[in-house]
Amino acid sequence: FAITVNAQQKAKIEVSYTEYQPNMRTGEKNGTTHQYILLAGSNDSKFFSPRTEQIDSLNSTTEGKAKYQEMARSAYLGGKIEDIPRADGSYYVVKSGADNKLYYYDKVGTERFCYEEDTPQLNWVVGDSTKTILGYECFFASVDYHGRKWIVWFTPEIPVVAGPWKLQGVPGLILEASTEDGLYRFVADGIQQTEKLITPIYLVDEYEKTNRIKFLKAKRGFMDNPVGAINAQFGGSGVSIRSVRTSGSSDSSGKLYVTRETVDFIETDY
């Protein structure tokens, strides 16, 4: 993707968000949280998990991969399993002003996928309500996007047209966003000025190019039958696994996640 070359703009602002989403194993509302960072400049932005990026950075070189494996080994042998470095959130969203595109990078199981789409021109409806977030006066706005209705709070006091995930287009920085049903939320918990570079994605050559709908269908296929998907991927090497539930019973169907009817993804229009 062109973004791997062009994304060297300096950010003007760094915003930290907590992402709340349902637990896909139990269906529990707000059952999972992740920490994300938004780096935003005049035209470009990057939304990512700093912990995930750190791990991807290590795994992008032979020396770094060896260091990561040693860190995991030491934590395991020391009985400190909780100290093993783990990813926190799987996706990256990069906005490129040069070609007016969004570039999305994510994983389905162990496979990496990426796709591009035009930067959305969202038909925001701005309301009269206001509230204060992190000391900034924020205004209410709502929009229908990819199958869900979003409610956001943005501040014109920070004139950066950006926000968490793919949300943008209101006249100011989005500090809070939630789906109407409350299943998915982003809440800003820190803002600072910065001159950090908006750097390219690590391991970019390992991502298979696809499109948004195909990606969502592949993700749903994996969650409906993760064991089957893994066996299909590694079947040629003679590897075969079966899922084992907490009761101790073996289940070859791999029903480890709730169905689409119980809880669907952040985008539902696939």
Short mmCIF file of all heavy atoms in Angstrom, two decimals, residues 161-206:
data_model
loop_
_atom_site.label_atom_id
_atom_site.label_comp_id
_atom_site.label_asym_id
_atom_site.label_seq_id
_atom_site.Cartn_x
_atom_site.Cartn_y
_atom_site.Cartn_z
N VAL A 161 -9.46 16.98 12.56
CA VAL A 161 -10.59 16.18 12.09
C VAL A 161 -10.19 14.71 12.16
O VAL A 161 -9.72 14.10 11.19
CB VAL A 161 -11.00 16.57 10.65
CG1 VAL A 161 -12.21 15.77 10.19
CG2 VAL A 161 -11.31 18.06 10.59
N ALA A 162 -10.35 14.14 13.35
CA ALA A 162 -9.94 12.75 13.58
C ALA A 162 -10.67 12.21 14.78
O ALA A 162 -11.34 12.94 15.52
CB ALA A 162 -8.42 12.67 13.78
N GLY A 163 -10.55 10.90 14.98
CA GLY A 163 -11.18 10.26 16.11
C GLY A 163 -10.77 8.82 16.21
O GLY A 163 -9.92 8.34 15.44
N PRO A 164 -11.34 8.08 17.16
CA PRO A 164 -10.98 6.67 17.33
C PRO A 164 -11.50 5.80 16.20
O PRO A 164 -12.48 6.14 15.53
CB PRO A 164 -11.67 6.31 18.65
CG PRO A 164 -12.86 7.23 18.72
CD PRO A 164 -12.39 8.51 18.09
N TRP A 165 -10.82 4.69 15.97
CA TRP A 165 -11.20 3.71 14.95
C TRP A 165 -11.30 4.41 13.61
O TRP A 165 -10.37 5.09 13.20
CB TRP A 165 -12.49 3.01 15.39
CG TRP A 165 -12.97 1.91 14.52
CD1 TRP A 165 -12.26 0.81 14.14
CD2 TRP A 165 -14.26 1.80 13.91
NE1 TRP A 165 -13.05 0.01 13.33
CE2 TRP A 165 -14.27 0.60 13.18
CE3 TRP A 165 -15.40 2.59 13.92
CZ2 TRP A 165 -15.39 0.17 12.45
CZ3 TRP A 165 -16.51 2.17 13.22
CH2 TRP A 165 -16.50 0.98 12.49
N LYS A 166 -12.42 4.27 12.89
CA LYS A 166 -12.60 4.90 11.58
C LYS A 166 -13.41 6.19 11.65
O LYS A 166 -13.68 6.81 10.61
CB LYS A 166 -13.31 3.93 10.62
CG LYS A 166 -12.58 2.62 10.36
CD LYS A 166 -13.39 1.73 9.43
CE LYS A 166 -12.69 0.42 9.14
NZ LYS A 166 -13.48 -0.43 8.21
N LEU A 167 -13.78 6.59 12.85
CA LEU A 167 -14.69 7.73 13.00
C LEU A 167 -13.96 9.05 12.80
O LEU A 167 -12.91 9.28 13.40
CB LEU A 167 -15.35 7.68 14.37
CG LEU A 167 -16.17 6.43 14.66
CD1 LEU A 167 -16.61 6.40 16.11
CD2 LEU A 167 -17.39 6.36 13.73
N GLN A 168 -14.51 9.91 11.97
CA GLN A 168 -13.94 11.22 11.71
C GLN A 168 -14.95 12.01 10.88
O GLN A 168 -15.98 11.49 10.50
CB GLN A 168 -12.60 11.10 10.96
CG GLN A 168 -12.63 10.24 9.72
CD GLN A 168 -13.09 10.98 8.49
OE1 GLN A 168 -12.64 12.09 8.23
NE2 GLN A 168 -14.02 10.39 7.74
N GLY A 169 -14.63 13.28 10.63
CA GLY A 169 -15.49 14.07 9.75
C GLY A 169 -16.26 15.19 10.43
O GLY A 169 -16.82 16.04 9.75
N VAL A 170 -16.33 15.20 11.76
CA VAL A 170 -16.94 16.32 12.46
C VAL A 170 -15.88 17.40 12.65
O VAL A 170 -14.68 17.12 12.59
CB VAL A 170 -17.52 15.88 13.82
CG1 VAL A 170 -18.77 15.06 13.63
CG2 VAL A 170 -16.49 15.10 14.64
N PRO A 171 -16.29 18.66 12.87
CA PRO A 171 -15.31 19.77 12.95
C PRO A 171 -14.59 19.84 14.29
O PRO A 171 -14.73 20.79 15.06
CB PRO A 171 -16.18 21.01 12.71
CG PRO A 171 -17.52 20.62 13.22
CD PRO A 171 -17.67 19.16 12.89
N GLY A 172 -13.84 18.80 14.59
CA GLY A 172 -13.09 18.77 15.82
C GLY A 172 -12.73 17.35 16.20
O GLY A 172 -13.18 16.38 15.58
N LEU A 173 -11.93 17.21 17.22
CA LEU A 173 -11.46 15.91 17.68
C LEU A 173 -12.56 15.17 18.43
O LEU A 173 -13.19 15.73 19.34
CB LEU A 173 -10.24 16.09 18.58
CG LEU A 173 -9.63 14.83 19.19
CD1 LEU A 173 -9.00 13.96 18.11
CD2 LEU A 173 -8.60 15.20 20.26
N ILE A 174 -12.79 13.91 18.08
CA ILE A 174 -13.77 13.07 18.77
C ILE A 174 -13.13 12.49 20.03
O ILE A 174 -12.14 11.76 19.95
CB ILE A 174 -14.28 11.94 17.86
CG1 ILE A 174 -15.01 12.53 16.64
CG2 ILE A 174 -15.21 11.01 18.63
CD1 ILE A 174 -15.38 11.49 15.60
N LEU A 175 -13.70 12.81 21.19
CA LEU A 175 -13.15 12.34 22.45
C LEU A 175 -13.92 11.16 23.04
O LEU A 175 -13.41 10.46 23.91
CB LEU A 175 -13.11 13.48 23.47
CG LEU A 175 -12.14 14.62 23.15
CD1 LEU A 175 -12.17 15.67 24.25
CD2 LEU A 175 -10.73 14.09 22.96
N GLU A 176 -15.15 10.97 22.59
CA GLU A 176 -15.94 9.84 23.07
C GLU A 176 -16.88 9.38 21.96
O GLU A 176 -17.44 10.22 21.24
CB GLU A 176 -16.74 10.23 24.31
CG GLU A 176 -17.46 9.07 25.00
CD GLU A 176 -18.10 9.48 26.31
OE1 GLU A 176 -17.43 10.15 27.12
OE2 GLU A 176 -19.28 9.14 26.51
N ALA A 177 -17.03 8.08 21.81
CA ALA A 177 -17.91 7.53 20.77
C ALA A 177 -18.51 6.24 21.29
O ALA A 177 -17.85 5.46 21.97
CB ALA A 177 -17.13 7.27 19.49
N SER A 178 -19.78 6.02 20.94
CA SER A 178 -20.47 4.82 21.38
C SER A 178 -21.52 4.43 20.37
O SER A 178 -22.16 5.29 19.75
CB SER A 178 -21.14 5.07 22.75
OG SER A 178 -21.93 3.97 23.15
N THR A 179 -21.69 3.12 20.17
CA THR A 179 -22.83 2.66 19.38
C THR A 179 -24.10 2.89 20.19
O THR A 179 -24.06 2.96 21.42
CB THR A 179 -22.70 1.18 19.01
OG1 THR A 179 -22.53 0.40 20.21
CG2 THR A 179 -21.49 0.95 18.11
N GLU A 180 -25.21 3.01 19.49
CA GLU A 180 -26.47 3.33 20.16
C GLU A 180 -26.82 2.28 21.22
O GLU A 180 -27.39 2.60 22.27
CB GLU A 180 -27.58 3.44 19.13
CG GLU A 180 -28.91 3.93 19.67
CD GLU A 180 -29.94 4.14 18.59
OE1 GLU A 180 -29.98 3.32 17.64
OE2 GLU A 180 -30.70 5.12 18.66
N ASP A 181 -26.46 1.02 20.97
CA ASP A 181 -26.76 -0.04 21.94
C ASP A 181 -25.70 -0.17 23.02
O ASP A 181 -25.82 -0.99 23.93
CB ASP A 181 -26.95 -1.38 21.23
CG ASP A 181 -25.72 -1.79 20.39
OD1 ASP A 181 -24.65 -1.17 20.54
OD2 ASP A 181 -25.84 -2.73 19.58
N GLY A 182 -24.64 0.64 22.94
CA GLY A 182 -23.60 0.63 23.96
C GLY A 182 -22.64 -0.54 23.92
O GLY A 182 -21.79 -0.69 24.80
N LEU A 183 -22.73 -1.37 22.87
CA LEU A 183 -21.85 -2.54 22.80
C LEU A 183 -20.40 -2.17 22.53
O LEU A 183 -19.48 -2.84 22.98
CB LEU A 183 -22.35 -3.50 21.72
CG LEU A 183 -23.60 -4.32 22.04
CD1 LEU A 183 -24.02 -5.15 20.85
CD2 LEU A 183 -23.36 -5.21 23.26
N TYR A 184 -20.20 -1.10 21.76
CA TYR A 184 -18.85 -0.66 21.42
C TYR A 184 -18.69 0.80 21.84
O TYR A 184 -19.54 1.64 21.52
CB TYR A 184 -18.58 -0.81 19.92
CG TYR A 184 -18.54 -2.26 19.47
CD1 TYR A 184 -19.71 -2.92 19.09
CD2 TYR A 184 -17.34 -2.97 19.45
CE1 TYR A 184 -19.68 -4.26 18.70
CE2 TYR A 184 -17.30 -4.30 19.06
CZ TYR A 184 -18.48 -4.94 18.69
OH TYR A 184 -18.45 -6.26 18.31
N ARG A 185 -17.59 1.10 22.54
CA ARG A 185 -17.36 2.46 23.02
C ARG A 185 -15.87 2.78 22.97
O ARG A 185 -15.02 1.90 23.14
CB ARG A 185 -17.81 2.63 24.48
CG ARG A 185 -19.31 2.63 24.69
CD ARG A 185 -19.63 3.12 26.09
NE ARG A 185 -19.05 2.25 27.12
CZ ARG A 185 -18.50 2.67 28.25
NH1 ARG A 185 -18.40 3.97 28.50
NH2 ARG A 185 -18.05 1.81 29.13
N PHE A 186 -15.57 4.04 22.75
CA PHE A 186 -14.22 4.57 22.84
C PHE A 186 -14.27 5.80 23.73
O PHE A 186 -15.06 6.72 23.48
CB PHE A 186 -13.66 4.96 21.47
CG PHE A 186 -13.57 3.82 20.49
CD1 PHE A 186 -14.61 3.54 19.61
CD2 PHE A 186 -12.43 3.03 20.43
CE1 PHE A 186 -14.53 2.51 18.70
CE2 PHE A 186 -12.34 1.98 19.52
CZ PHE A 186 -13.39 1.72 18.66
N VAL A 187 -13.43 5.84 24.76
CA VAL A 187 -13.43 6.96 25.69
C VAL A 187 -12.00 7.47 25.84
O VAL A 187 -11.10 6.72 26.24
CB VAL A 187 -13.98 6.53 27.07
CG1 VAL A 187 -13.97 7.71 28.03
CG2 VAL A 187 -15.39 5.96 26.93
N ALA A 188 -11.80 8.74 25.51
CA ALA A 188 -10.46 9.34 25.64
C ALA A 188 -10.12 9.53 27.11
O ALA A 188 -10.96 9.98 27.90
CB ALA A 188 -10.40 10.67 24.91
N ASP A 189 -8.89 9.19 27.48
CA ASP A 189 -8.46 9.39 28.86
C ASP A 189 -7.15 10.14 28.97
O ASP A 189 -6.57 10.24 30.05
CB ASP A 189 -8.38 8.05 29.60
CG ASP A 189 -7.63 6.99 28.81
OD1 ASP A 189 -6.67 7.33 28.11
OD2 ASP A 189 -8.01 5.81 28.89
N GLY A 190 -6.67 10.71 27.86
CA GLY A 190 -5.45 11.50 27.90
C GLY A 190 -5.17 12.17 26.56
O GLY A 190 -5.40 11.56 25.51
N ILE A 191 -4.71 13.42 26.60
CA ILE A 191 -4.37 14.17 25.38
C ILE A 191 -3.08 14.92 25.61
O ILE A 191 -2.87 15.50 26.69
CB ILE A 191 -5.47 15.19 25.01
CG1 ILE A 191 -6.84 14.54 24.90
CG2 ILE A 191 -5.13 15.91 23.71
CD1 ILE A 191 -7.96 15.54 24.67
N GLN A 192 -2.20 14.90 24.62
CA GLN A 192 -1.00 15.71 24.71
C GLN A 192 -0.52 16.09 23.31
O GLN A 192 -0.79 15.39 22.33
CB GLN A 192 0.11 14.96 25.43
CG GLN A 192 0.58 13.69 24.74
CD GLN A 192 1.67 12.96 25.52
OE1 GLN A 192 2.02 13.35 26.62
NE2 GLN A 192 2.20 11.90 24.94
N GLN A 193 0.16 17.22 23.23
CA GLN A 193 0.78 17.61 21.98
C GLN A 193 2.00 16.72 21.74
O GLN A 193 2.64 16.24 22.68
CB GLN A 193 1.20 19.08 22.01
CG GLN A 193 0.04 20.05 22.04
CD GLN A 193 0.49 21.50 22.01
OE1 GLN A 193 1.54 21.83 22.54
NE2 GLN A 193 -0.30 22.36 21.38
N THR A 194 2.33 16.51 20.47
CA THR A 194 3.45 15.64 20.14
C THR A 194 4.01 15.99 18.78
O THR A 194 3.36 16.69 17.99
CB THR A 194 3.00 14.16 20.15
OG1 THR A 194 4.14 13.31 19.99
CG2 THR A 194 2.02 13.88 19.02
N GLU A 195 5.20 15.52 18.52
CA GLU A 195 5.80 15.61 17.19
C GLU A 195 6.26 14.23 16.72
O GLU A 195 7.16 14.12 15.89
CB GLU A 195 6.98 16.60 17.20
CG GLU A 195 6.56 18.04 17.42
CD GLU A 195 7.71 19.02 17.24
OE1 GLU A 195 8.88 18.57 17.19
OE2 GLU A 195 7.45 20.23 17.16
N LYS A 196 5.63 13.20 17.25
CA LYS A 196 5.98 11.85 16.85
C LYS A 196 5.65 11.64 15.37
O LYS A 196 4.67 12.17 14.85
CB LYS A 196 5.21 10.82 17.68
CG LYS A 196 5.63 10.74 19.13
CD LYS A 196 4.82 9.68 19.86
CE LYS A 196 5.23 9.59 21.33
NZ LYS A 196 4.42 8.58 22.07
N LEU A 197 6.47 10.83 14.70
CA LEU A 197 6.18 10.47 13.33
C LEU A 197 5.05 9.47 13.26
O LEU A 197 4.93 8.58 14.11
CB LEU A 197 7.42 9.87 12.66
CG LEU A 197 8.57 10.83 12.30
CD1 LEU A 197 9.75 10.04 11.78
CD2 LEU A 197 8.12 11.85 11.27
N ILE A 198 4.20 9.62 12.26
CA ILE A 198 3.17 8.62 11.99
C ILE A 198 3.84 7.56 11.12
O ILE A 198 3.91 7.67 9.89
CB ILE A 198 1.96 9.25 11.30
CG1 ILE A 198 1.37 10.35 12.18
CG2 ILE A 198 0.90 8.19 11.00
CD1 ILE A 198 0.24 11.12 11.54
N THR A 199 4.34 6.53 11.75
CA THR A 199 5.21 5.55 11.10
C THR A 199 4.41 4.46 10.40
O THR A 199 3.25 4.21 10.73
CB THR A 199 6.15 4.90 12.13
OG1 THR A 199 5.35 4.34 13.18
CG2 THR A 199 7.09 5.95 12.71
N PRO A 200 5.03 3.77 9.44
CA PRO A 200 4.36 2.64 8.76
C PRO A 200 4.10 1.47 9.70
O PRO A 200 4.63 1.42 10.82
CB PRO A 200 5.37 2.25 7.66
CG PRO A 200 6.24 3.45 7.48
CD PRO A 200 6.34 4.08 8.84
N ILE A 201 3.30 0.53 9.23
CA ILE A 201 2.95 -0.65 10.00
C ILE A 201 4.08 -1.68 9.92
O ILE A 201 4.64 -1.92 8.85
CB ILE A 201 1.65 -1.28 9.46
CG1 ILE A 201 0.54 -0.24 9.43
CG2 ILE A 201 1.25 -2.50 10.28
CD1 ILE A 201 0.19 0.34 10.76
N TYR A 202 4.44 -2.25 11.06
CA TYR A 202 5.43 -3.33 11.07
C TYR A 202 4.83 -4.59 10.44
O TYR A 202 3.62 -4.81 10.48
CB TYR A 202 5.88 -3.64 12.50
CG TYR A 202 6.72 -2.55 13.11
CD1 TYR A 202 6.17 -1.66 14.03
CD2 TYR A 202 8.06 -2.40 12.78
CE1 TYR A 202 6.93 -0.65 14.61
CE2 TYR A 202 8.84 -1.39 13.34
CZ TYR A 202 8.27 -0.52 14.26
OH TYR A 202 9.03 0.49 14.82
N LEU A 203 5.69 -5.43 9.87
CA LEU A 203 5.31 -6.72 9.29
C LEU A 203 4.30 -6.56 8.16
O LEU A 203 3.51 -7.47 7.88
CB LEU A 203 4.73 -7.65 10.37
CG LEU A 203 5.64 -7.95 11.57
CD1 LEU A 203 4.86 -8.68 12.66
CD2 LEU A 203 6.84 -8.77 11.13
N VAL A 204 4.34 -5.42 7.48
CA VAL A 204 3.31 -5.12 6.48
C VAL A 204 3.28 -6.16 5.36
O VAL A 204 2.22 -6.44 4.79
CB VAL A 204 3.50 -3.70 5.93
CG1 VAL A 204 4.79 -3.60 5.11
CG2 VAL A 204 2.30 -3.26 5.11
N ASP A 205 4.43 -6.76 5.05
CA ASP A 205 4.48 -7.74 3.97
C ASP A 205 3.78 -9.05 4.33
O ASP A 205 3.54 -9.89 3.46
CB ASP A 205 5.94 -8.04 3.59
CG ASP A 205 6.61 -6.85 2.92
OD1 ASP A 205 5.88 -5.99 2.37
OD2 ASP A 205 7.85 -6.77 2.96
N GLU A 206 3.46 -9.23 5.60
CA GLU A 206 2.80 -10.46 6.03
C GLU A 206 1.27 -10.36 5.95
O GLU A 206 0.57 -11.33 6.23
CB GLU A 206 3.22 -10.81 7.46
CG GLU A 206 4.70 -11.15 7.58
CD GLU A 206 5.08 -11.62 8.97
OE1 GLU A 206 4.14 -11.86 9.78
OE2 GLU A 206 6.28 -11.75 9.25
#
